[in-house]
Amino acid sequence: MNGIKYAVLTEKSVSLFQKNQYTLNVESGSTRTEIKHWVELFFGVKVTAMNSHRLPRKGRRMRPIMGHTMHYKRMIITLQPGYSIPPLRKKKELK
């Protein structure tokens, strides 16, 4: 399960919940089949389709040396109808 970094919760990714699609950041070296296997095994769901793209690297200057941030791959995972990932669909309650 070390290939999946974290779920992405942006305005666009939250709107994709209605289409039964979830957005995850994964390690750049992970393959689509590995990610599909991990998601199906860990969450107990069936994956229909997967779309992926690499995020652009951002530069970071550390005095005279120019560095870059970590590379991640973003996956948009479509689940079969009737399946969902409950921890991502929970709304935050106000106190």
Side-chain angles (χ1 to χ4, degrees), residues 60-71:
R60 296 283 186 247
R61 181 166 296 280
M62 291 166 265
R63 305 250 174 154
I65 302 168
M66 187 67 178
H68 297 283
T69 58
M70 297 284 291
H71 245 78

Side-chain angles (χ1 to χ4, degrees), residues 75-86:
M75 304 287 287
I76 300 174
I77 299 170
T78 306
L79 303 180
Q80 286 183 356
Y83 288 97
S84 67
I85 300 176

